[in-house]
Amino acid sequence: MVRKIVFSALSIVLFSACSRTPKMESVYNFEELDKVKVSEIVKDYSLIPLELTENNQILDATEVKIVDDKIFVLDCYSQLNKTLHVFDMDGKYQGQVGTAGQGPGEYIMPMSFLVNNKENLIHIMDMATNKLLSYKFDTFEFVKETQLTFYSSCSASYDNGQIIWYIGSGLQNEGDFQKHIQITDTQCEIKASMLNRKDLPTRGLYNIRNCFMTSDGDTYFHHPFLGDYEKIGTEITPAFSLKFEHHDFPSEEYLSANKKEIIERLKDDGYIQYCDALMSQSAMACYFGIDKTAYWGIYDRAASKGWYIDREKIEDDLGIGALNRPKSVYNDSFVSVIYTEKIDELPESSILLKNGQDKISENPVILIFKP
């Protein structure tokens, strides 16, 4: 069984229970958390140690999603086995979707995946071949592969089984494929192209995994390096912005003027370099960074209050070593990953040692938490 621990209720003071329905704000303001520990704010969490077998050691849990009581963990960077692993809710290994190679149903560089509930399929994007590989959800059996006619930075599930793609400024596409937003069916046939290309830096390896976010059935996106989100419908409309106390996003003008040396300039001038956000029904979880410091942010939608904190302070507070960014939303909770390579160095107060110590291996531990 998944172990569940309830934290203390200081959250009642900071984020008092509120009966009104959470609404979409125009600005989400996050204040720096200083004197209060995260362990005194988060309401509850669960830990799921992932089973280690001969062929499933995970180097990097690049993407993690929980669908129909299956935990999908995509490892893009393993030297031995770049693949999509599947576990049950107790962390038991169930197998993998596809395999590395160049034959039917095989991929070279699996960089992202989507679960299509309408067609009961799993789609894996192979960046090396620019193909979308499809597998049955229940059996992981290979179904088909589809060649993309454009190059994309990232993708997300969209309305009625469609796929939405973000086209970064530096990708070499032509015609309407240059527009930042492409919406396709699962055959990768274009259904809509919108938002003219902006003169911004290319996505590159800038610690930005995805530009999309869903909330209450709507889909939003933001350009890399920017904190302004826009809603995707029949047209693109401004939606909301993220604001972090003491830290600023660069302007479009700044990004355009410093494209070639953007990372160095962002570091030198102290701007936010990257930011991801997820939205549940009750909260938003953010992950952003300035130079070598990574931060977590949590926003309570009912109370209209948010905070952020240095990730290392969370790791020290919970005694968990390496904590990764929030990965996905599951049942109004957020899903993240704890790496366990230094398990023998953890303090006795570590939540990992208190809960599920006998199941911890060299594979990561899935953290499911609700603010």
Side-chain angles (χ1 to χ4, degrees):
M1 293 293 293
V2 177
R3 291 169 171 80
K4 183 175 180 180
I5 303 91
V6 179
F7 279 125
S8 67
L10 184 58
S11 56
I12 297 176
V13 177
L14 293 179
F15 302 132
S16 58
C18 190
S19 60
R20 59 188 173 87
T21 302
K23 65 181 185 300
M24 185 65 70
E25 305 280 359
S26 59
V27 178
Y28 289 86
N29 287 302
F30 296 77
E31 297 180 359
E32 186 172 15
L33 189 66
D34 187 16
K35 298 181 180 179
V36 180
K37 293 183 178 181
V38 170
S39 59
E40 297 174 319
I41 296 176
V42 176
K43 294 179 181 178
D44 58 74
Y45 70 90
S46 301
L47 296 173
I48 307 177
L50 297 181
E51 180 184 21
L52 177 65
T53 68
E54 183 178 356
N55 299 313
N56 81 333
Q57 185 168 353
I58 298 170
L59 175 66
D60 182 278
T62 314
E63 290 188 8
V64 180
K65 299 174 185 176
I66 302 178
V67 183
D68 291 350
D69 292 333
K70 291 184 176 70
I71 303 172
F72 294 89
V73 181
L74 177 63
D75 185 347
C76 296
Y77 300 108
S78 173
Q79 297 298 317
L80 300 176
N81 193 19
K82 295 181 177 66
T83 193
L84 179 59
H85 301 280
V86 187
F87 301 82
D88 66 18
M89 292 301 291
D90 289 322
K92 294 292 185 181
Y93 191 54
Q94 303 297 296
Q96 65 183 52
V97 183
T99 187
Q102 301 183 45
E106 297 178 340
Y107 37 69
I108 300 172
M109 191 179 297
M111 291 303 294
S112 63
F113 74 97
L114 302 170
V115 176
N116 186 321
N117 291 323
K118 180 184 178 183
E119 298 183 357
N120 205 35
L121 293 176
I122 301 165
H123 304 295
I124 297 179
M125 174 62 191
D126 184 3
M127 180 173 287
T129 62
N130 205 36
K131 291 180 180 179
L132 191 70
L133 306 177
S134 303
Y135 308 82
K136 291 183 180 180
F137 180 84
D138 296 325
T139 64
F140 313 149
E141 178 184 354
F142 174 64
V143 176
K144 62 179 180 179
E145 66 177 37
T146 307
Q147 185 71 55
L148 285 171
T149 54
F150 56 89
Y151 295 95
S152 170
S153 302
C154 58
S155 61
S157 299
Y158 193 54
D159 289 345
N160 201 27
Q162 294 180 322
I163 302 173
I164 186 167
W165 308 82
Y166 177 80
I167 309 297
S169 296
L171 296 180
Q172 301 301 312
N173 292 314
E174 298 180 354
D176 277 350
F177 292 150
Q178 294 185 84
K179 293 188 175 180
H180 282 303
I181 299 299
Q182 307 288 333
I183 299 175
T184 75
D185 58 20
T186 56
Q187 300 297 323
C188 298
E189 293 291 332
I190 299 294
K191 299 302 179 182
S193 300
M194 57 187 77
L195 195 62
N196 292 330
R197 179 178 295 213
K198 293 188 176 184
D199 185 27
L200 300 175
T202 57
R203 178 176 180 266
L205 298 175
Y206 297 154
N207 213 9
I208 303 166
R209 285 298 307 170
N210 206 325
C211 299
F212 297 108
M213 185 183 76
T214 59
S215 176
D216 303 324
D218 293 319
T219 300
Y220 304 85
F221 91 101
H222 73 107
H223 288 283
F225 309 111
L226 297 177
D228 300 321
Y229 277 77
E230 299 179 88
K231 182 178 177 180
I232 302 172
T234 55
E235 59 182 1
I236 304 293
T237 56
F240 59 88
S241 299
L242 306 182
K243 302 290 184 182
F244 298 98
E245 184 184 26
H246 308 311
H247 302 294
D248 296 319
F249 288 96
S251 66
E252 288 189 27
E253 293 76 16
Y254 177 97
L255 293 171
S256 181
N258 297 282
K259 288 190 297 182
K260 293 183 179 179
E261 65 281 352
I262 187 61
I263 297 302
E264 291 74 16
R265 289 301 306 274
L266 290 171
K267 289 180 180 179
D268 292 343
D269 296 335
Y271 284 115
I272 294 172
Q273 292 174 231
Y274 56 87
C275 183
D276 283 341
L278 299 169
M279 184 86 81
S280 70
Q281 184 177 1
S282 59
M284 177 189 288
C286 297
Y287 182 90
F288 70 99
I290 296 100
D291 197 4
K292 297 181 180 180
T293 305
Y295 297 91
W296 273 51
I298 298 293
Y299 190 94
D300 186 298
R301 297 181 65 188
S304 297
K305 293 183 179 180
W307 53 264
Y308 72 89
I309 188 172
D310 186 331
R311 183 186 65 182
E312 291 187 357
K313 291 184 178 180
I314 302 176
E315 295 170 344
D316 292 342
D317 179 20
L318 304 182
I320 56 176
L323 173 66
N324 209 283
R325 72 183 70 204
K327 299 287 187 177
S328 58
V329 177
Y330 170 69
N331 288 348
D332 200 34
S333 296
F334 296 104
V335 180
S336 187
V337 175
I338 300 171
Y339 292 104
T340 59
E341 62 269 20
K342 296 182 180 179
I343 190 70
D344 56 335
E345 300 178 12
L346 296 178
E348 294 182 1
S349 60
S350 171
I351 60 173
L352 293 177
L353 300 183
K354 291 181 178 180
N355 305 279
Q357 180 179 1
D358 57 326
K359 294 185 178 181
I360 293 176
S361 66
E362 294 182 15
N363 264 345
V365 174
I366 299 299
L367 169 66
I368 303 174
F369 70 96
K370 185 173 183 179

PDB file of all heavy atoms in Angstrom, residues 166-169 180-181 195-198 200 208 211 221-230 249 252 255 275:
ATOM      1  N   TYR A 166       4.159  22.876 -29.536  1.00  0.00           N
ATOM      2  CA  TYR A 166       4.792  24.194 -29.488  1.00  0.00           C
ATOM      3  C   TYR A 166       5.987  24.191 -30.430  1.00  0.00           C
ATOM      4  O   TYR A 166       6.844  23.296 -30.362  1.00  0.00           O
ATOM      5  CB  TYR A 166       5.254  24.536 -28.072  1.00  0.00           C
ATOM      6  CG  TYR A 166       5.991  25.859 -27.985  1.00  0.00           C
ATOM      7  CD1 TYR A 166       5.279  27.054 -27.946  1.00  0.00           C
ATOM      8  CD2 TYR A 166       7.378  25.911 -27.975  1.00  0.00           C
ATOM      9  CE1 TYR A 166       5.946  28.274 -27.888  1.00  0.00           C
ATOM     10  CE2 TYR A 166       8.053  27.118 -27.913  1.00  0.00           C
ATOM     11  CZ  TYR A 166       7.332  28.293 -27.873  1.00  0.00           C
ATOM     12  OH  TYR A 166       7.991  29.490 -27.824  1.00  0.00           O
ATOM     13  N   ILE A 167       6.046  25.193 -31.323  1.00  0.00           N
ATOM     14  CA  ILE A 167       7.136  25.329 -32.276  1.00  0.00           C
ATOM     15  C   ILE A 167       8.058  26.441 -31.796  1.00  0.00           C
ATOM     16  O   ILE A 167       7.678  27.614 -31.801  1.00  0.00           O
ATOM     17  CB  ILE A 167       6.614  25.666 -33.686  1.00  0.00           C
ATOM     18  CG1 ILE A 167       5.516  24.681 -34.101  1.00  0.00           C
ATOM     19  CG2 ILE A 167       7.761  25.697 -34.689  1.00  0.00           C
ATOM     20  CD1 ILE A 167       5.969  23.248 -34.203  1.00  0.00           C
ATOM     21  N   GLY A 168       9.246  26.093 -31.345  1.00  0.00           N
ATOM     22  CA  GLY A 168      10.187  27.084 -30.856  1.00  0.00           C
ATOM     23  C   GLY A 168      10.700  28.000 -31.959  1.00  0.00           C
ATOM     24  O   GLY A 168      10.682  27.649 -33.144  1.00  0.00           O
ATOM     25  N   SER A 169      11.165  29.172 -31.575  1.00  0.00           N
ATOM     26  CA  SER A 169      11.578  30.176 -32.556  1.00  0.00           C
ATOM     27  C   SER A 169      12.727  29.701 -33.438  1.00  0.00           C
ATOM     28  O   SER A 169      12.841  30.117 -34.589  1.00  0.00           O
ATOM     29  CB  SER A 169      12.006  31.461 -31.833  1.00  0.00           C
ATOM     30  OG  SER A 169      10.915  32.028 -31.146  1.00  0.00           O
ATOM     31  N   HIS A 180       3.808  29.342 -33.824  1.00  0.00           N
ATOM     32  CA  HIS A 180       4.213  28.719 -32.564  1.00  0.00           C
ATOM     33  C   HIS A 180       3.298  27.577 -32.121  1.00  0.00           C
ATOM     34  O   HIS A 180       3.742  26.641 -31.467  1.00  0.00           O
ATOM     35  CB  HIS A 180       4.268  29.774 -31.456  1.00  0.00           C
ATOM     36  CG  HIS A 180       5.497  30.624 -31.498  1.00  0.00           C
ATOM     37  ND1 HIS A 180       6.766  30.101 -31.448  1.00  0.00           N
ATOM     38  CD2 HIS A 180       5.649  31.963 -31.596  1.00  0.00           C
ATOM     39  CE1 HIS A 180       7.655  31.075 -31.495  1.00  0.00           C
ATOM     40  NE2 HIS A 180       7.012  32.218 -31.591  1.00  0.00           N
ATOM     41  N   ILE A 181       2.026  27.644 -32.447  1.00  0.00           N
ATOM     42  CA  ILE A 181       1.073  26.634 -31.988  1.00  0.00           C
ATOM     43  C   ILE A 181       0.535  25.840 -33.178  1.00  0.00           C
ATOM     44  O   ILE A 181       0.007  26.417 -34.135  1.00  0.00           O
ATOM     45  CB  ILE A 181      -0.094  27.286 -31.218  1.00  0.00           C
ATOM     46  CG1 ILE A 181       0.423  28.013 -29.983  1.00  0.00           C
ATOM     47  CG2 ILE A 181      -1.133  26.224 -30.825  1.00  0.00           C
ATOM     48  CD1 ILE A 181       1.121  27.133 -28.975  1.00  0.00           C
ATOM     49  N   LEU A 195      -0.592  31.828 -33.958  1.00  0.00           N
ATOM     50  CA  LEU A 195       0.414  32.626 -33.265  1.00  0.00           C
ATOM     51  C   LEU A 195       1.706  32.745 -34.072  1.00  0.00           C
ATOM     52  O   LEU A 195       2.517  31.824 -34.136  1.00  0.00           O
ATOM     53  CB  LEU A 195       0.737  32.053 -31.877  1.00  0.00           C
ATOM     54  CG  LEU A 195       1.491  33.020 -30.952  1.00  0.00           C
ATOM     55  CD1 LEU A 195       0.653  34.257 -30.667  1.00  0.00           C
ATOM     56  CD2 LEU A 195       1.878  32.352 -29.662  1.00  0.00           C
ATOM     57  N   ASN A 196       1.859  33.893 -34.708  1.00  0.00           N
ATOM     58  CA  ASN A 196       3.045  34.149 -35.519  1.00  0.00           C
ATOM     59  C   ASN A 196       4.314  34.068 -34.680  1.00  0.00           C
ATOM     60  O   ASN A 196       4.321  34.401 -33.496  1.00  0.00           O
ATOM     61  CB  ASN A 196       2.944  35.515 -36.188  1.00  0.00           C
ATOM     62  CG  ASN A 196       1.855  35.557 -37.244  1.00  0.00           C
ATOM     63  OD1 ASN A 196       1.553  34.535 -37.876  1.00  0.00           O
ATOM     64  ND2 ASN A 196       1.267  36.723 -37.447  1.00  0.00           N
ATOM     65  N   ARG A 197       5.392  33.665 -35.313  1.00  0.00           N
ATOM     66  CA  ARG A 197       6.663  33.462 -34.634  1.00  0.00           C
ATOM     67  C   ARG A 197       7.187  34.767 -34.030  1.00  0.00           C
ATOM     68  O   ARG A 197       7.163  35.808 -34.673  1.00  0.00           O
ATOM     69  CB  ARG A 197       7.692  32.898 -35.606  1.00  0.00           C
ATOM     70  CG  ARG A 197       9.069  32.683 -34.998  1.00  0.00           C
ATOM     71  CD  ARG A 197      10.028  32.074 -35.993  1.00  0.00           C
ATOM     72  NE  ARG A 197       9.573  30.727 -36.359  1.00  0.00           N
ATOM     73  CZ  ARG A 197      10.413  29.734 -36.644  1.00  0.00           C
ATOM     74  NH1 ARG A 197      11.712  29.924 -36.586  1.00  0.00           N
ATOM     75  NH2 ARG A 197       9.948  28.555 -36.976  1.00  0.00           N
ATOM     76  N   LYS A 198       7.659  34.667 -32.786  1.00  0.00           N
ATOM     77  CA  LYS A 198       8.286  35.803 -32.129  1.00  0.00           C
ATOM     78  C   LYS A 198       9.804  35.670 -32.193  1.00  0.00           C
ATOM     79  O   LYS A 198      10.336  34.557 -32.240  1.00  0.00           O
ATOM     80  CB  LYS A 198       7.822  35.904 -30.666  1.00  0.00           C
ATOM     81  CG  LYS A 198       6.351  36.253 -30.512  1.00  0.00           C
ATOM     82  CD  LYS A 198       6.005  36.535 -29.062  1.00  0.00           C
ATOM     83  CE  LYS A 198       4.549  36.973 -28.934  1.00  0.00           C
ATOM     84  NZ  LYS A 198       4.185  37.346 -27.543  1.00  0.00           N
ATOM     85  N   LEU A 200      12.460  35.347 -30.430  1.00  0.00           N
ATOM     86  CA  LEU A 200      12.940  34.997 -29.096  1.00  0.00           C
ATOM     87  C   LEU A 200      14.040  33.944 -29.199  1.00  0.00           C
ATOM     88  O   LEU A 200      14.202  33.304 -30.242  1.00  0.00           O
ATOM     89  CB  LEU A 200      11.778  34.457 -28.245  1.00  0.00           C
ATOM     90  CG  LEU A 200      10.608  35.412 -28.015  1.00  0.00           C
ATOM     91  CD1 LEU A 200       9.489  34.692 -27.274  1.00  0.00           C
ATOM     92  CD2 LEU A 200      11.059  36.637 -27.240  1.00  0.00           C
ATOM     93  N   ILE A 208      13.752  23.729 -19.568  1.00  0.00           N
ATOM     94  CA  ILE A 208      12.326  23.981 -19.759  1.00  0.00           C
ATOM     95  C   ILE A 208      11.731  22.752 -20.439  1.00  0.00           C
ATOM     96  O   ILE A 208      11.971  22.518 -21.618  1.00  0.00           O
ATOM     97  CB  ILE A 208      12.077  25.236 -20.620  1.00  0.00           C
ATOM     98  CG1 ILE A 208      12.748  26.458 -19.983  1.00  0.00           C
ATOM     99  CG2 ILE A 208      10.587  25.473 -20.814  1.00  0.00           C
ATOM    100  CD1 ILE A 208      12.840  27.638 -20.893  1.00  0.00           C
ATOM    101  N   CYS A 211       5.901  23.774 -22.288  1.00  0.00           N
ATOM    102  CA  CYS A 211       5.356  25.127 -22.319  1.00  0.00           C
ATOM    103  C   CYS A 211       3.848  25.144 -22.098  1.00  0.00           C
ATOM    104  O   CYS A 211       3.231  26.213 -22.152  1.00  0.00           O
ATOM    105  CB  CYS A 211       5.681  25.789 -23.655  1.00  0.00           C
ATOM    106  SG  CYS A 211       7.440  25.947 -23.988  1.00  0.00           S
ATOM    107  N   PHE A 221      -0.426  28.149 -22.567  1.00  0.00           N
ATOM    108  CA  PHE A 221       0.984  27.980 -22.866  1.00  0.00           C
ATOM    109  C   PHE A 221       1.733  29.271 -22.569  1.00  0.00           C
ATOM    110  O   PHE A 221       1.154  30.353 -22.461  1.00  0.00           O
ATOM    111  CB  PHE A 221       1.187  27.586 -24.339  1.00  0.00           C
ATOM    112  CG  PHE A 221       1.385  28.758 -25.248  1.00  0.00           C
ATOM    113  CD1 PHE A 221       2.646  29.113 -25.682  1.00  0.00           C
ATOM    114  CD2 PHE A 221       0.303  29.522 -25.659  1.00  0.00           C
ATOM    115  CE1 PHE A 221       2.826  30.202 -26.506  1.00  0.00           C
ATOM    116  CE2 PHE A 221       0.482  30.612 -26.494  1.00  0.00           C
ATOM    117  CZ  PHE A 221       1.744  30.963 -26.918  1.00  0.00           C
ATOM    118  N   HIS A 222       3.049  29.137 -22.403  1.00  0.00           N
ATOM    119  CA  HIS A 222       3.903  30.311 -22.260  1.00  0.00           C
ATOM    120  C   HIS A 222       5.170  30.087 -23.049  1.00  0.00           C
ATOM    121  O   HIS A 222       5.643  28.953 -23.203  1.00  0.00           O
ATOM    122  CB  HIS A 222       4.236  30.580 -20.790  1.00  0.00           C
ATOM    123  CG  HIS A 222       5.211  29.612 -20.197  1.00  0.00           C
ATOM    124  ND1 HIS A 222       6.514  29.942 -19.905  1.00  0.00           N
ATOM    125  CD2 HIS A 222       5.079  28.311 -19.851  1.00  0.00           C
ATOM    126  CE1 HIS A 222       7.141  28.892 -19.398  1.00  0.00           C
ATOM    127  NE2 HIS A 222       6.303  27.897 -19.357  1.00  0.00           N
ATOM    128  N   HIS A 223       5.746  31.152 -23.579  1.00  0.00           N
ATOM    129  CA  HIS A 223       7.025  31.055 -24.255  1.00  0.00           C
ATOM    130  C   HIS A 223       8.113  30.768 -23.228  1.00  0.00           C
ATOM    131  O   HIS A 223       8.046  31.253 -22.089  1.00  0.00           O
ATOM    132  CB  HIS A 223       7.346  32.355 -24.985  1.00  0.00           C
ATOM    133  CG  HIS A 223       6.507  32.589 -26.201  1.00  0.00           C
ATOM    134  ND1 HIS A 223       6.728  31.935 -27.393  1.00  0.00           N
ATOM    135  CD2 HIS A 223       5.440  33.397 -26.413  1.00  0.00           C
ATOM    136  CE1 HIS A 223       5.846  32.342 -28.277  1.00  0.00           C
ATOM    137  NE2 HIS A 223       5.053  33.225 -27.714  1.00  0.00           N
ATOM    138  N   PRO A 224       9.135  30.003 -23.612  1.00  0.00           N
ATOM    139  CA  PRO A 224      10.275  29.827 -22.705  1.00  0.00           C
ATOM    140  C   PRO A 224      10.834  31.167 -22.260  1.00  0.00           C
ATOM    141  O   PRO A 224      10.877  32.121 -23.044  1.00  0.00           O
ATOM    142  CB  PRO A 224      11.289  29.063 -23.576  1.00  0.00           C
ATOM    143  CG  PRO A 224      10.446  28.338 -24.577  1.00  0.00           C
ATOM    144  CD  PRO A 224       9.294  29.249 -24.867  1.00  0.00           C
ATOM    145  N   PHE A 225      11.195  31.253 -21.008  1.00  0.00           N
ATOM    146  CA  PHE A 225      11.782  32.438 -20.364  1.00  0.00           C
ATOM    147  C   PHE A 225      10.746  33.479 -19.953  1.00  0.00           C
ATOM    148  O   PHE A 225      11.090  34.436 -19.271  1.00  0.00           O
ATOM    149  CB  PHE A 225      12.832  33.133 -21.256  1.00  0.00           C
ATOM    150  CG  PHE A 225      13.885  32.219 -21.799  1.00  0.00           C
ATOM    151  CD1 PHE A 225      13.924  31.928 -23.142  1.00  0.00           C
ATOM    152  CD2 PHE A 225      14.826  31.663 -20.965  1.00  0.00           C
ATOM    153  CE1 PHE A 225      14.898  31.085 -23.653  1.00  0.00           C
ATOM    154  CE2 PHE A 225      15.803  30.823 -21.468  1.00  0.00           C
ATOM    155  CZ  PHE A 225      15.832  30.532 -22.815  1.00  0.00           C
ATOM    156  N   LEU A 226       9.482  33.343 -20.354  1.00  0.00           N
ATOM    157  CA  LEU A 226       8.466  34.345 -20.027  1.00  0.00           C
ATOM    158  C   LEU A 226       7.465  33.790 -19.028  1.00  0.00           C
ATOM    159  O   LEU A 226       7.159  32.596 -19.031  1.00  0.00           O
ATOM    160  CB  LEU A 226       7.734  34.809 -21.283  1.00  0.00           C
ATOM    161  CG  LEU A 226       8.585  35.525 -22.339  1.00  0.00           C
ATOM    162  CD1 LEU A 226       7.725  35.867 -23.554  1.00  0.00           C
ATOM    163  CD2 LEU A 226       9.214  36.789 -21.763  1.00  0.00           C
ATOM    164  N   GLY A 227       6.909  34.663 -18.184  1.00  0.00           N
ATOM    165  CA  GLY A 227       5.959  34.243 -17.157  1.00  0.00           C
ATOM    166  C   GLY A 227       4.518  34.568 -17.493  1.00  0.00           C
ATOM    167  O   GLY A 227       3.643  34.446 -16.632  1.00  0.00           O
ATOM    168  N   ASP A 228       4.244  34.960 -18.745  1.00  0.00           N
ATOM    169  CA  ASP A 228       2.884  35.282 -19.165  1.00  0.00           C
ATOM    170  C   ASP A 228       2.281  34.093 -19.897  1.00  0.00           C
ATOM    171  O   ASP A 228       2.855  33.591 -20.873  1.00  0.00           O
ATOM    172  CB  ASP A 228       2.882  36.503 -20.087  1.00  0.00           C
ATOM    173  CG  ASP A 228       3.442  37.743 -19.415  1.00  0.00           C
ATOM    174  OD1 ASP A 228       3.156  37.923 -18.218  1.00  0.00           O
ATOM    175  OD2 ASP A 228       4.166  38.509 -20.077  1.00  0.00           O
ATOM    176  N   TYR A 229       1.106  33.647 -19.437  1.00  0.00           N
ATOM    177  CA  TYR A 229       0.419  32.518 -20.050  1.00  0.00           C
ATOM    178  C   TYR A 229      -0.730  33.017 -20.921  1.00  0.00           C
ATOM    179  O   TYR A 229      -1.399  33.995 -20.592  1.00  0.00           O
ATOM    180  CB  TYR A 229      -0.127  31.575 -18.975  1.00  0.00           C
ATOM    181  CG  TYR A 229       0.907  30.612 -18.452  1.00  0.00           C
ATOM    182  CD1 TYR A 229       1.882  31.036 -17.550  1.00  0.00           C
ATOM    183  CD2 TYR A 229       0.922  29.278 -18.853  1.00  0.00           C
ATOM    184  CE1 TYR A 229       2.840  30.152 -17.067  1.00  0.00           C
ATOM    185  CE2 TYR A 229       1.870  28.394 -18.372  1.00  0.00           C
ATOM    186  CZ  TYR A 229       2.826  28.830 -17.478  1.00  0.00           C
ATOM    187  OH  TYR A 229       3.776  27.961 -17.005  1.00  0.00           O
ATOM    188  N   GLU A 230      -0.951  32.301 -22.031  1.00  0.00           N
ATOM    189  CA  GLU A 230      -2.036  32.620 -22.948  1.00  0.00           C
ATOM    190  C   GLU A 230      -2.935  31.401 -23.121  1.00  0.00           C
ATOM    191  O   GLU A 230      -2.459  30.256 -23.079  1.00  0.00           O
ATOM    192  CB  GLU A 230      -1.475  33.086 -24.285  1.00  0.00           C
ATOM    193  CG  GLU A 230      -0.622  34.345 -24.170  1.00  0.00           C
ATOM    194  CD  GLU A 230      -0.055  34.797 -25.493  1.00  0.00           C
ATOM    195  OE1 GLU A 230      -0.727  35.565 -26.203  1.00  0.00           O
ATOM    196  OE2 GLU A 230       1.069  34.369 -25.809  1.00  0.00           O
ATOM    197  N   PHE A 249      11.005  38.073 -14.445  1.00  0.00           N
ATOM    198  CA  PHE A 249      11.215  37.496 -15.765  1.00  0.00           C
ATOM    199  C   PHE A 249      11.793  38.573 -16.687  1.00  0.00           C
ATOM    200  O   PHE A 249      11.491  39.755 -16.533  1.00  0.00           O
ATOM    201  CB  PHE A 249       9.888  37.000 -16.356  1.00  0.00           C
ATOM    202  CG  PHE A 249       9.351  35.758 -15.713  1.00  0.00           C
ATOM    203  CD1 PHE A 249       8.402  35.842 -14.709  1.00  0.00           C
ATOM    204  CD2 PHE A 249       9.777  34.505 -16.124  1.00  0.00           C
ATOM    205  CE1 PHE A 249       7.887  34.702 -14.116  1.00  0.00           C
ATOM    206  CE2 PHE A 249       9.278  33.354 -15.541  1.00  0.00           C
ATOM    207  CZ  PHE A 249       8.336  33.450 -14.531  1.00  0.00           C
ATOM    208  N   GLU A 252      10.365  40.614 -23.433  1.00  0.00           N
ATOM    209  CA  GLU A 252      10.573  40.120 -24.791  1.00  0.00           C
ATOM    210  C   GLU A 252      11.686  40.902 -25.482  1.00  0.00           C
ATOM    211  O   GLU A 252      12.484  40.330 -26.235  1.00  0.00           O
ATOM    212  CB  GLU A 252       9.273  40.228 -25.595  1.00  0.00           C
ATOM    213  CG  GLU A 252       8.216  39.221 -25.195  1.00  0.00           C
ATOM    214  CD  GLU A 252       7.039  39.224 -26.147  1.00  0.00           C
ATOM    215  OE1 GLU A 252       7.240  39.591 -27.333  1.00  0.00           O
ATOM    216  OE2 GLU A 252       5.919  38.871 -25.731  1.00  0.00           O
ATOM    217  N   LEU A 255      15.035  39.604 -24.307  1.00  0.00           N
ATOM    218  CA  LEU A 255      15.339  38.292 -24.874  1.00  0.00           C
ATOM    219  C   LEU A 255      15.745  38.400 -26.334  1.00  0.00           C
ATOM    220  O   LEU A 255      16.698  37.759 -26.787  1.00  0.00           O
ATOM    221  CB  LEU A 255      14.124  37.377 -24.737  1.00  0.00           C
ATOM    222  CG  LEU A 255      13.736  36.978 -23.314  1.00  0.00           C
ATOM    223  CD1 LEU A 255      12.396  36.264 -23.310  1.00  0.00           C
ATOM    224  CD2 LEU A 255      14.803  36.103 -22.680  1.00  0.00           C
ATOM    225  N   CYS A 275      11.050  28.358 -16.102  1.00  0.00           N
ATOM    226  CA  CYS A 275       9.894  28.216 -15.212  1.00  0.00           C
ATOM    227  C   CYS A 275       8.908  27.224 -15.802  1.00  0.00           C
ATOM    228  O   CYS A 275       8.576  27.309 -16.991  1.00  0.00           O
ATOM    229  CB  CYS A 275       9.213  29.572 -15.000  1.00  0.00           C
ATOM    230  SG  CYS A 275       7.815  29.517 -13.847  1.00  0.00           S
TER     231      CYS A 275
END
